């Protein structure tokens, strides 16, 4: 019979989810460090004291260590810039519900800007279909982005549902807008003004 | 194995029957004998074990929504979280610091990363080819990956080139991020 094992508690980073000692290899290192300082100062000191940093690189040549450090910093700066851009993009984006007239009485709603939710469009379309008991499909919009088209004049109900989803995801700042599709003019002969 | 793994790769979810649960326990202990003393903590008697059958014949076993172990062929493979919890239960190797970033990007481990100054392999007779190993790193306390030896540790030392370990799971891969 082997001796009884005791489970080990590992502290996982609240930012990158790795054991904290591996944060230095993630693109979110700066944020990770700030998080640890706030949440576990002992571990923070253990990992990031001068001493700890000195032994960490002992087996590498100084030159190699510096090179690695630089590469990592570059990556981290890149990631930070990317995150900032994504945040800005998120804040600027909005979900648009376009009401399309199919026939005199029938309408459909084309929803664009849903990529903000970062969820599978087909699944979302299924949810809409069952929620509004209607047909629902994913199509590529004019700008090659996914759109969900819901059959029926259900713009208000969809807006309400999407607002709820946004709130759930902490994206309250995202606007939802309802617009009417511009009616295509019936093909008529262009009027040319006489000279 | 899980580099690009997502929830979409799960095909079916079922509960594991208690007889199968018993077999799993027996198998885990036979593969990793030190787990014997804690097997009822890993798979508590009244727990329900869920089996997720996935793409590429990967089967995940979950308890309380967390992947505890998985298999693709015959062997059961511990999840990294399980390795973190019971580090001494699994055979291990250590890579040098330079190899960490490659391992974290999901690359198989090359022999030189296991034989250089900062790395560590068990002393002879070492570990057999195909042993499932926890992978540690120079200067770090916790495992960063789980893999399988492509050659024995003695061969890794003597041949010292090519791939020594095939990587199964690493920090940050699709399985690591699966639970959340
Ligand atoms: Zn982190």
């Amino acid at each position: 019979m082997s001796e009884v094992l005791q489970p080990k508690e590992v502290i996982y980073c609240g930012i990158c989810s790795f054991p904290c000692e591996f944060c230095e290899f993630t693109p979110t290192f700066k944020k990770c460090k700030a998080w640890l300082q706030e949440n576990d100062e002992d571990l923070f000191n253990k990992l990031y004291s001068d001493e700890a940093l000195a032994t960490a690189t002992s087996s590498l040549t100084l030159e190699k260590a510096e090179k690695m450090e630089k590469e990592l910093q570059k990556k981290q700066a890149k990631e930070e810039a990317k995150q900032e851009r994504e945040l800005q993009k998120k804040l600027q984006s909005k979900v648009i519900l376009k009401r399309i007239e199919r026939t005199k009485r029938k309408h459909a709603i084309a929803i664009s800007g849903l990529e903000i939710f970062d969820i599978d469009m087909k699944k979302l379309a299924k949810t809409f279909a069952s929620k509004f008991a209607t047909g629902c499909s994913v199509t590529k919009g004019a700008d090659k982005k996914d759109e969900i088209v819901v059959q029926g004049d259900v713009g208000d109900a969809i807006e309400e549902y999407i607002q709820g989803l946004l709130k759930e995801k902490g994206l309250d700042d995202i606007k939802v807008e309802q617009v009417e599709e511009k009616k295509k003019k019936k093909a008529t002969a262009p009027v040319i003004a006489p000279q | 194995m899980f580099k690009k793994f997502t929830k979409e790769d799960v095909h079916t979810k079922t509960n594991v029957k208690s007889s199968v649960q018993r077999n799993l326990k027996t198998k885990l202990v036979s593969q990793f004998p030190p787990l014997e003393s804690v097997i009822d903590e890993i798979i508590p008697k009244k727990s329900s074990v869920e089996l997720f059958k996935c793409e590429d014949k990967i089967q995940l076993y979950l308890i309380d929504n967390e992947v505890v172990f998985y298999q693709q062929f015959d062997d059961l493979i511990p999840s990294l979280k399980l390795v973190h919890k019971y580090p001494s239960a699994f055979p291990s190797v250590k890579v040098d610091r330079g190899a960490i970033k490659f391992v974290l990007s999901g690359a198989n481990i090359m022999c030189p990363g296991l034989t250089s100054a900062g790395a560590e392999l068990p002393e002879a007779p070492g570990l057999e080819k195909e042993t499932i190993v926890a992978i540690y790193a120079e200067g770090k306390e916790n495992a960063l990956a789980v893999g399988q030896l492509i050659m024995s540790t003695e061969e890794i030392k003597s041949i010292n080139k090519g791939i020594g370990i095939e990587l199964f799971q690493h920090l940050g891969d699709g399985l690591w991020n699966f639970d959340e």
Side-chain angles (χ1 to χ4, degrees), chain A residues 35-68:
Chain A
W35 178 87
L36 189 60
Q37 191 162 27
E38 204 156 281
N39 288 276
D40 192 330
E41 212 172 340
D42 287 346
L43 184 57
F44 179 86
N45 291 332
K46 187 179 153 206
L47 289 180
Y48 302 122
S49 67
D50 292 342
E51 235 174 304
L53 292 178
T55 50
T57 50
S58 62
S59 86
L60 293 173
T61 62
L62 196 62
E63 194 187 346
K64 230 175 158 185
E66 273 175 2
K67 203 176 141 211
M68 260 176 65

Side-chain angles (χ1 to χ4, degrees), chain B residues 1 35 50 62 85 93 113 147 152 179-180:
Chain B
M1 197 187 252
L35 288 182
E50 277 185 293
L62 292 89
K85 208 164 170 188
V93 299
S152 72
D179 303 331
E180 299 151 320

